[in-house]
Amino acid sequence: MEYTTIRNERTQLLNYLWEFQDKNGYISTSDIRKLSKELGISWIEIEGVISFYHFFKRKPTGKYTIYLNNSMVSEIKGFHKIKEAFEKETGAFFGGTDPTGTFSLFETSCVGLSDQEPAALINFMPVVNLTPKKVKEIISHLKSGGKIDDIQDEIEDLIRYKNDKGEPVLFREYKLGDSILNLVKKRPDEVIEEVKDSGLSGRGGAFFPTGMKWEFARRSPSMQKYVICNADEGEPGTFKDRVLLNQMPGLVLEGMITGGYAIGATKGIIYLRAEYRFLKKKIESTIKHFYKIGLLGQNILGKNFDFDISLMSGAGAYVCGEETSLIESLEGKRGGPRTKVYFPIEKGYLEHPTIVNNVETFCVAARIMEFRSEIFSSKGTSKTKGTKLLSISGDCKKPGIYEIEWGITIQEMLNLCEAKDTNYIQFSGPSGTVLTKKDFNRTISGEDLICGGSVMIFNSKRDVFDILTNFSNFFIAESCGLCTPCRAGNYLIGKRLEKIRKGEATYEEIEEIKSWGKVLRDTSRCGLGKTSSNFIVEAIDKFPEVFKKVGLKDKEFNLSAALNDYYDTVKNN
Amino acid sequence: MDLRIVNIKIDGKKFEAIEGQSLIEAAKNNGFYIPTLCHFKEIYPPLGTCRVCTVNINGKPDTACTRKVFDGMEVEVNTPEVLDNRKAIVEMLFAEGNHFCPACAKSGDCELQRKGYEMGISSSRFPHLFEERPRDFKDDRIFLEHNRCILCKRCVHEVKTNKGENVFYFQNRGHKMLVGMDYEKAKELTFEQVLDAAKLCPVGAIIAKGKCSVKPFGDRKFDVDKNIKWIQSEELELDIPKDGKKKVVATTSLAGCFGCHMSLLDIDLGLLDVLELIEFNKSPLTDIKKFTKQCDIGIIEGGVANSENFEVLKEFRKNCKIIVALGECSIWGGIPAMRNTLPLKDCLEEAYLNSISSENNENIIPYHEDIPNLLDKVYAVSDIIKIDYYIPGCPPNADHIWKAVKNILFGVGEKVAYEEFKYD
Ligand SMILES: Cc1cc2nc3c(=O)[nH]c(=O)nc-3n(C[C@H](O)[C@H](O)[C@H](O)COP(=O)(O)O)c2cc1C
Ligand code: SF4
Ligand code: SF4
Ligand code: SF4
Ligand code: FES
C-alpha cells in the first residue's frame, strides 16, 4: 500500500515514519512539523513514537546503516571481534557515524539469525557468518561504490530435522491453495471444531488453545473483525518464523485466511519485525499472487467470503511481540502493552475483535485444513499435540530448525543437533528457563518443559556470568518502561550484576536478587516484566558454584576505587 | 440500564459491588482501602503504570485499578506477601528517582511521600540509582523536574489543549523513559490549566512557576487526612536483660547537617530521664573524641562523603554492638547525595573554580594530607557496614528517636505513632 500523498491517518504513523527514515536515513525536525500539522497531533507525541522504536533515528545516519546483533549466541560466535573489525574498517564507532558520513554503526538485539552468527543488517539486508576478513571485504566493497545486493547473503534455511520418526506437519511438501480448497468446503463453525479437535495451541509461547480463541472471536457480533499474524519473533535465539515466512509464505497466508473465514473477519494484517524486512518483498509478491489467483480479495473461490491481507513493518521493539503492544504499534503508537481490561478478541485493533496468532500457529492451522486434524492430534503428548519447531543455536554442530514431536527428551534433542559438553541451555529464550545437566532427561512437552521455540546451547567453556549479563542487558534494553517493576527492577538487577562482577557484592546481596525477582514476577504489567527475572533467579540456584566463588561473606567497601575521581581531579587541577 | 450486583470478597469479608466497576472503586465504596498512585479517577483504559495497587485476585497477583469486579471475585489486600510487594514498588520508585524531600515544593502534599509513610518505609531495599535526570526550566510557566517524575502517565492522559492535543507525552523507553513537554502546546494552556496540571501530578514533577509555595506549612493535605490505615513498620524488639547497668551510647555526625543531633536534643527535659538510663561515650554531645569502651549502641547521623567519614564509621562498627542509622542522609545519602547524580569533578569545579564566590587567586580545589579526601559519591552507611536499625526522618522526630532507641536497648514495646514518624 502507498501512503505517500496524503498523510492524515493517525494509525499509519509508523508507515509515514518509515518513509522518512528510509529516504533520508533519519527523521528530521521538519518532517515532524509536517506530520504534526497534517495529522493534527502534537509534535511531542510524534517524538514519543519515534523514540520508542530502536530503528527510527532523529539524527542523520550514514549512507549505510549497520546493525550488529549483540545477542549471546552472537557473542560466543565472535561478536567482539566483529565489532572491532567494523570499527576499524569503517572508521566509525558504535553508536555513531564515520567522519565521511558513509557508515553508521549500531548494536541491536537478536535479529533472528542465531543459526548463522555473527550476523548484521546493512540497510536492513542481512550479512551472516561474519569474520573479520569478511567484514573487511564487505566494507571495502561498499567503500568502492559496490552495491549492497552483491554482498548481501542469500539466507540459508537450515532445516535439520523433520520429525523423521513420524512425519512432519509443517515441513512437508507445500501445494499452494490446497488448504483453502478444503477450507471453503466447510462451514466456519466446522473449521473451528476441527482446529479445536486438533488440540492446536498457540505457538507464540503462551500456548493458548487456538480453537478456543477463534471461537470467542467468532461469537462476537461485531461486523468488523481482524486477523493479525504476529511475525515479530523477537525472543533471542528464535528464528523459526523467519524460516516459515521464507520457505512457505503462502502457507502463512492460507492460515490467516483460515482464521478470517472461521471468525468472520475480512481483514488480515501481518506485523513483520523490522529485522525481517528483507523478507518483505517475497511476502508482498506472494500476497499479490494470491489476489491474482483469487485466494484473496472478494468472493474467494466463488464463495461469499472476502478477505484482504496487508503487511506492516515494526520498527525495533521486542515488546511489540506481546499481542496488545503489537496492536498499539499497528495503530501507529508507542508499542506499550495495554492494561488488560479487554482481551483482543473483545476489543483489539481499533477496538474491534481481533485474533492475534503466531506465524507457526497459522501454518499449522492451514495444514490442519489440508489433511484433517487427526494427523496433528495423533502426535505429541496429551497436553501438547503435534509437532513443534525449535530454533537451535549456540554450541552445537548443527544449528538450525528442528520439527520435533512433543515428548522427546532434552538429551535426544542434544543428540540430534550434535551438541557436546553442554553445560547450560537457555530454554525457550531468556524469558524461559535455565537447564543444566540435571534436566537432560526431562521431556519437551506441556507436561514438563514447554518451549516457544528458542533453544540456546552453551558448553562448559562459556562463562555463565557473561551469559547472564547478556540476558540482563537485553531486558534492560527492551523493557518498554511503562510499569515500575520492570522499568526500574531490571535496571536494578543489572546494576547488582555489575557489582557482583566487580567482586563487591556479598552472598546475601546475590541471594537478594531472588526476592526482587518475585516482585517483578508478581507485579509487572505484561509478560516481559513477569518473566524477565526468571533466568537470573534460576541461575543463582542452578549454578551455586559460580556465585559462591564471587559472593563476599561480609561487606567490603572499595575505598581506593571510590577515591580515584578525587585524586584525578586534584591532580589535573 | 439495569445495574447488576455482583458478590465479591475482600480479605474474607463479603461485599456487593456493581458489575463493571473497577475493583478500586468497589473497595472504596465499601470503605476498604487499596493504595494507588497512578489511578486518579475512573478512565478507560486505566493507566495501570505504577503497580502500587497490586492485590491477589482469586489467588493471582493483579492490579486493582485495571480489573473489573465479577461475581465470585476473591481479593486479598493485606496478606504479608501482597503488602510486601506493594512496599517494594514504592521503595523502587524512591530508589529510581532522585527524591530530596526537604528541597521539594510538593513535600507534605505528595502522594509518593504519603505512600512511604503509610507503608512504614524506613529504608529502601533497593540501592538508590542516582541517575542524572534533566530539570526542564524552558517553559515560562511550567518547571518540569524529571528527578521526581514517577512516570505515572496522568499528565500524558489528561493534560490536553482545548483542541485535544497532547502537552505531555512519554519519550524513549525502559529506564530511559521520561515525560516530554510540547512547549508550543503548553503555551495554549490557560494558567488555570497549568495549575491543574501541577495539581494532577502526584509528585513534585510538574511545578507551576511562582506558585509552588502557595500552600502554607502546617496543616497540609496529609496532616489532616486521618482516614488512612497506619501500618506498623518493622518491630524494634530486642531483649537486653535489665540488670540495672547504664547502657553506653555513642553518636556521630558524618555527612549530615547536625539536624538529627539537634532533634535528639529536642526531648528537652526528657533528656534528664534518659541520662538515668544511659551514658554517652564518643559523641559530639560529650566531646569524647575516642572510644574509651565498648558501647551498646552507636547512632550514626549522615552519609559517607569522605575518607574520614569512612574511618569513623568503621570505628563505630568495631566499638558498638548495635548500629542505628539515624535520618535520611545516613540511610541513603539524603541532601548531601544531591551531588551523586553528577561527576565529582563537575561538583568540585563548580564549587571551587567556576563559582562567582571564589576570589582571585583562590581558585584551587582543596587538597592536603590533613583534610579528608572526597569520595566519588555520598554513600549510604549500609554500603560500608552492616546496619542493625534504621530511624527515618529528615530529621526524625525526637520522640521517635528515643522510643526507637529505648526499644532497641531495653525492649520496651512502644509503638511509633504515625505523627511521630512523619517528617515532611
Ligand atoms: C514480551 C513478549 C513478547 C512476545 N513476542 C512474541 C513474538 O515475537 N511472536 C509471537 O508470536 N508471540 C509473542 N508473544 C506472545 C503474544 O503475546 C501472543 O500470545 C501470541 O502472539 C498469540 O499467538 P499464538 O496463540 O498463536 O501463540 C510475546 C509475548 C510477550 C509477553
Ligand atoms: S512489564 Fe511493564 S515495563 Fe516491562 S514491557 Fe511490560 S508493561 Fe513495559
Ligand atoms: S516528589 Fe518531592 S515530596 Fe514527593 S517524594 Fe519526591 S522529593 Fe519527596
Ligand atoms: S510528570 Fe507527574 S503526572 Fe506526569 S508522569 Fe511524571 S509524575 Fe506522572
Ligand atoms: S494505581 Fe493501579 S497500577 Fe497504579
Side-chain angles (χ1 to χ4, degrees):
Chain A
M1 265 185 256
E2 292 286 313
Y3 299 102
T4 30
T5 40
I6 13 163
R7 298 194 195 87
N8 57 3
E9 281 274 352
R10 174 68 183 80
T11 57
Q12 293 303 320
L13 181 58
L14 251 63
N15 287 336
Y16 302 153
L17 293 173
W18 266 122
E19 250 180 64
F20 292 120
Q21 176 67 42
D22 284 340
K23 208 165 102 209
N24 307 319
Y26 78 114
I27 298 154
S28 71
T29 303
S30 72
D31 295 336
I32 295 176
R33 297 262 169 237
K34 231 184 296 169
L35 280 174
S36 158
K37 224 196 218 143
E38 288 172 6
L39 294 169
I41 58 177
S42 65
W43 155 82
I44 201 73
E45 183 170 343
I46 300 174
E47 289 273 16
V49 173
I50 294 171
S51 60
F52 186 85
Y53 296 97
H54 184 60
F55 294 124
F56 289 148
K57 300 289 177 206
R58 280 287 279 117
K59 290 204 190 93
T61 51
K63 189 169 166 206
Y64 302 105
T65 317
I66 300 173
Y67 284 97
L68 177 62
N69 175 16
N70 65 11
S71 78
M72 193 57 216
V73 175
S74 169
E75 226 177 272
I76 65 173
K77 302 286 176 186
F79 166 80
H80 293 286
K81 272 200 195 123
I82 301 304
K83 185 175 170 179
E84 223 172 87
F86 269 122
E87 291 191 334
K88 186 171 153 234
E89 301 304 330
T90 61
F93 290 108
F94 269 79
T97 307
D98 73 313
T100 68
T102 316
F103 298 100
S104 294
L105 304 178
F106 301 101
E107 286 185 31
T108 194
S109 299
C110 183
V111 297
L113 291 161
S114 299
D115 50 347
Q116 303 167 49
E117 292 295 341
L121 302 169
I122 303 183
N123 289 2
F124 291 101
M125 290 302 165
V127 287
V128 297
N129 295 319
L130 292 170
T131 58
K133 186 163 161 268
K134 188 168 173 183
V135 168
K136 193 172 175 181
E137 285 163 11
I138 289 171
I139 300 301
S140 69
H141 171 83
L142 293 176
K143 270 186 180 166
S144 61
K147 282 206 224 110
I148 294 189
D149 295 359
D150 305 333
I151 45 119
Q152 166 207 342
D153 283 309
E154 206 44 64
I155 297 303
E156 229 184 309
D157 291 327
L158 303 169
I159 301 161
R160 304 279 193 179
Y161 177 77
K162 305 180 177 179
N163 188 28
D164 301 340
K165 274 187 234 147
E167 63 182 323
V169 172
L170 288 164
F171 290 118
R172 54 168 67 213
E173 196 194 347
Y174 170 60
K175 287 213 204 90
L176 197 149
D178 270 14
S179 58
I180 305 296
L181 279 175
N182 283 342
L183 172 75
V184 294
K185 285 185 203 140
K186 292 175 204 169
R187 291 193 316 268
D189 58 308
E190 289 172 334
V191 173
I192 287 177
E193 259 342 283
E194 187 102 36
V195 175
K196 272 167 114 183
D197 288 346
S198 75
L200 172 62
S201 58
R203 265 37 187 164
F207 294 93
F208 189 84
T210 307
M212 206 145 86
K213 186 188 275 186
W214 291 10
E215 185 166 41
F216 287 141
R218 169 162 183 76
R219 277 200 215 134
S220 160
S222 172
M223 295 299 287
Q224 181 72 67
K225 299 177 192 177
Y226 288 92
V227 173
I228 291 173
C229 174
N230 187 342
D232 197 54
E233 193 161 51
E235 191 72 38
T238 170
F239 46 89
K240 64 181 179 75
D241 296 342
R242 178 201 92 213
V243 169
L244 285 172
L245 287 164
N246 192 38
Q247 288 281 313
M248 301 179 279
L251 191 67
V252 182
L253 300 185
E254 289 186 51
M256 292 176 71
I257 297 166
T258 305
Y261 184 78
I263 71 163
T266 54
K267 293 243 181 306
I269 308 171
I270 301 173
Y271 185 86
L272 184 72
R273 69 187 307 221
E275 291 84 342
Y276 291 172
R277 288 177 90 208
F278 64 91
L279 294 171
K280 200 172 157 202
K281 236 192 229 157
K282 187 169 199 172
I283 300 167
E284 280 178 337
S285 71
T286 312
I287 294 175
K288 229 180 236 162
H289 183 64
F290 268 53
Y291 274 106
K292 212 163 107 198
I293 59 173
L295 290 181
L296 279 175
Q298 291 185 340
N299 300 325
I300 292 171
L301 294 182
K303 300 276 168 174
N304 182 20
F305 168 48
D306 306 342
F307 199 69
D308 291 306
I309 293 181
S310 60
L311 183 146
M312 187 169 127
S313 192
Y318 164 63
V319 72
C320 285
E322 194 278 341
E323 54 187 8
T324 61
S325 308
L326 187 152
I327 291 170
E328 288 282 299
S329 183
L330 276 178
E331 293 179 359
K333 303 180 194 154
R334 290 167 62 87
R338 293 178 172 176
T339 38
K340 301 202 173 44
V341 180
Y342 297 102
F343 291 107
I345 45 168
E346 299 163 284
K347 288 180 190 232
Y349 182 60
L350 305 175
E351 299 276 296
H352 296 299
T354 303
I355 54 166
V356 181
N357 281 111
N358 175 253
V359 172
E360 187 183 345
T361 312
F362 280 125
C363 288
V364 175
R367 287 297 195 202
I368 289 167
M369 287 308 110
E370 187 185 326
F371 54 65
R372 293 193 333 282
S373 59
E374 296 94 76
I375 300 201
F376 186 79
S377 60
S378 62
K379 297 184 190 11
T381 65
S382 67
K383 270 199 186 159
T384 32
K385 302 285 183 207
T387 61
K388 178 78 187 80
L389 298 190
L390 301 184
S391 318
I392 299 184
S393 65
D395 290 314
C396 64
K397 209 164 155 199
K398 294 181 168 170
I401 298 293
Y402 290 73
E403 179 169 357
I404 59 134
E405 191 168 334
W406 290 108
I408 71 166
T409 65
I410 296 291
Q411 189 58 58
E412 284 172 292
M413 175 194 82
L414 290 173
N415 295 345
L416 286 175
C417 67
E418 297 180 26
K420 290 216 183 70
D421 186 28
T422 304
N423 180 46
Y424 172 2
I425 305 169
Q426 186 62 35
F427 197 67
S428 210
S431 67
T433 189
V434 173
L435 302 182
T436 57
K437 287 194 185 73
K438 283 190 197 132
D439 302 301
F440 290 178
N441 286 326
R442 296 173 62 183
T443 60
I444 304 173
S445 65
E447 288 82 358
D448 190 1
L449 289 169
I450 195 97
C451 184
S454 167
V455 179
M456 293 186 270
I457 302 173
F458 305 105
N459 67 26
S460 64
K461 285 196 222 55
R462 308 299 174 194
D463 184 323
V464 171
F465 205 78
D466 282 348
I467 302 171
L468 301 175
T469 306
N470 183 285
F471 295 160
S472 166
N473 289 340
F474 169 75
F475 288 116
I476 292 170
E478 298 297 340
S479 161
C480 87
L482 261 184
C483 75
T484 314
C486 170
R487 177 185 70 236
N490 280 307
Y491 194 57
L492 283 159
I493 290 175
K495 288 273 167 197
R496 181 57 52 93
L497 290 179
E498 262 175 44
K499 192 172 180 186
I500 300 172
R501 183 181 285 278
K502 283 197 223 149
E504 292 174 358
T506 61
Y507 197 68
E508 220 172 285
E509 285 172 322
I510 295 172
E511 285 279 308
E512 198 181 9
I513 298 177
K514 291 199 270 181
S515 68
W516 296 2
K518 185 185 155 32
V519 176
L520 266 73
R521 203 162 54 241
D522 285 356
T523 67
S524 286
R525 170 167 165 147
C526 83
L528 192 154
K530 282 183 201 298
T531 57
S532 62
S533 57
N534 291 354
F535 78 92
I536 183 70
V537 170
E538 292 176 19
I540 290 172
D541 284 335
K542 290 204 166 184
F543 295 103
E545 66 290 351
V546 172
F547 291 96
K548 286 248 165 66
K549 214 165 54 193
V550 289
L552 302 172
K553 248 184 84 207
D554 294 308
K555 281 184 204 269
E556 281 175 33
F557 184 76
N558 190 341
L559 183 65
S560 64
L563 284 168
N564 277 343
D565 285 2
Y566 178 65
Y567 292 146
D568 285 349
T569 310
V570 289
K571 219 185 289 160
N572 301 326
N573 178 19
Chain B
M1 212 172 72
D2 283 347
L3 291 182
R4 221 174 75 92
I5 298 294
V6 295
N7 293 299
I8 63 170
K9 245 192 209 170
I10 304 180
D11 281 349
K13 283 203 200 93
K14 282 189 189 146
F15 295 108
E16 284 185 346
I18 302 160
E19 192 178 48
Q21 223 176 8
S22 86
L23 175 55
I24 287 284
E25 290 302 305
K28 200 171 13 178
N29 290 349
N30 286 297
F32 217 98
Y33 176 66
I34 300 174
T36 54
L37 257 180
C38 65
H39 175 91
F40 64 108
K41 65 175 186 190
E42 287 293 289
I43 47 175
Y44 171 77
L47 301 177
T49 55
C50 72
R51 321 307 283 170
V52 165
C53 65
T54 297
V55 295
N56 270 346
I57 297 176
N58 294 29
K60 269 173 105 179
D62 208 338
T63 39
C65 69
T66 62
R67 289 294 301 269
K68 294 184 167 175
V69 291
F70 57 86
D71 223 5
M73 185 184 232
E74 290 196 14
V75 189
E76 289 171 314
V77 180
N78 290 313
T79 66
E81 198 191 356
V82 181
L83 283 168
D84 188 62
N85 273 342
R86 288 201 296 260
K87 197 172 172 192
I89 288 169
V90 175
E91 289 175 16
M92 221 182 244
L93 285 169
F94 275 110
E96 183 191 30
N98 296 307
H99 296 273
F100 302 100
C101 296
C104 176
K106 197 86 167 193
S107 185
D109 196 14
C110 164
E111 295 183 37
L112 176 65
Q113 197 182 46
R114 178 192 187 179
K115 291 292 162 308
Y117 293 144
E118 262 175 43
M119 296 180 176
I121 292 172
S122 57
S123 72
S124 171
R125 73 194 71 181
F126 306 101
H128 283 249
L129 288 169
F130 296 117
E131 299 284 307
E132 189 181 352
R133 292 196 190 180
R135 295 185 177 88
D136 187 346
F137 295 101
K138 240 180 261 162
D139 189 76
D140 288 341
R141 297 176 301 170
I142 298 172
F143 163 40
L144 197 55
E145 168 51 299
H146 293 281
N147 288 290
R148 304 177 193 142
C149 173
I150 55 167
L151 300 162
C152 70
K153 207 180 175 184
R154 285 187 189 183
C155 59
V156 173
H157 180 271
E158 193 78 355
V159 183
K160 310 246 169 164
T161 63
N162 292 339
K163 274 188 255 153
E165 292 170 326
N166 275 74
V167 177
F168 298 100
Y169 214 73
F170 281 146
Q171 309 294 311
N172 308 330
R173 69 179 187 215
H175 70 104
K176 294 194 184 127
M177 191 160 95
L178 49 81
V179 165
M181 175 167 39
D182 193 315
Y183 307 110
E184 284 157 33
K185 302 295 168 204
K187 282 197 181 48
E188 293 176 25
L189 299 177
T190 64
F191 194 61
E192 231 8 73
Q193 286 171 318
V194 170
L195 288 177
D196 284 346
K199 215 186 284 167
L200 177 76
C201 177
V203 289
I206 299 177
I207 300 280
K209 286 189 182 171
K211 281 281 177 187
C212 55
S213 304
V214 280
K215 278 196 187 177
F217 281 72
D219 279 358
R220 280 157 298 166
K221 198 153 138 203
F222 301 134
D223 290 336
V224 290
D225 192 344
K226 301 282 185 223
N227 292 329
I228 56 165
K229 237 205 229 162
W230 165 236
I231 299 153
Q232 188 55 42
S233 64
E234 294 108 81
E235 293 289 310
L236 301 168
E237 296 279 340
L238 199 89
D239 283 324
I240 291 178
K242 288 183 183 165
D243 49 12
K245 261 207 246 157
K246 279 191 183 179
K247 301 286 178 186
V248 188
V249 177
T251 75
T252 188
S253 178
L254 307 177
C257 69
F258 244 86
C260 293
H261 272 78
M262 299 310 285
S263 189
L264 212 130
L265 295 175
D266 259 355
I267 49 165
D268 303 332
L269 288 179
L271 199 55
L272 297 176
D273 298 336
V274 170
L275 287 173
E276 299 282 304
L277 295 169
I278 64 168
E279 68 170 80
F280 284 103
N281 197 263
K282 178 179 160 70
S283 165
L285 304 175
T286 56
D287 214 21
I288 298 175
K289 300 272 195 278
K290 287 214 160 91
F291 281 103
T292 57
K293 55 168 120 169
Q294 205 47 33
C295 298
D296 292 295
I297 189 166
I299 300 175
I300 316 283
E301 169 191 332
V304 181
N306 61 38
S307 51
E308 189 201 17
N309 297 155
F310 175 83
E311 303 302 338
V312 172
L313 188 60
K314 288 284 228 189
E315 276 295 290
F316 263 74
R317 185 70 271 185
K318 238 186 269 159
N319 289 287
C320 305
K321 268 188 251 158
I322 298 165
I323 293 284
V324 179
L326 178 66
E328 297 306 302
C329 301
S330 165
I331 293 173
W332 60 273
I335 292 285
M338 275 182 152
R339 77 161 161 100
N340 285 11
T341 62
L342 301 166
L344 178 67
K345 188 165 178 278
D346 294 6
C347 299
L348 288 171
E349 286 176 353
E350 180 64 27
Y352 293 104
L353 306 184
N354 307 330
S355 90
I356 42 166
S357 60
S358 57
E359 288 172 25
N360 286 348
N361 307 325
E362 251 189 64
N363 47 353
I364 186 160
I365 297 171
Y367 175 70
H368 189 271
E369 58 190 32
D370 289 345
I371 58 171
N373 296 328
L374 280 183
L375 306 185
D376 55 346
K377 285 193 314 178
V378 178
Y379 289 88
V381 289
S382 62
D383 284 334
I384 320 281
I385 59 166
K386 184 175 173 291
I387 300 298
D388 303 299
Y389 294 101
Y390 296 93
I391 303 179
C394 187
N397 178 297
D399 288 336
H400 182 182
I401 301 173
W402 285 112
K403 273 186 193 166
V405 171
K406 270 194 281 180
N407 208 331
I408 296 166
L409 284 175
F410 308 106
V412 190
E414 281 179 79
K415 299 259 192 269
V416 180
Y418 176 64
E419 285 306 321
E420 288 165 353
F421 181 62
K422 272 170 63 14
Y423 57 86
D424 57 83

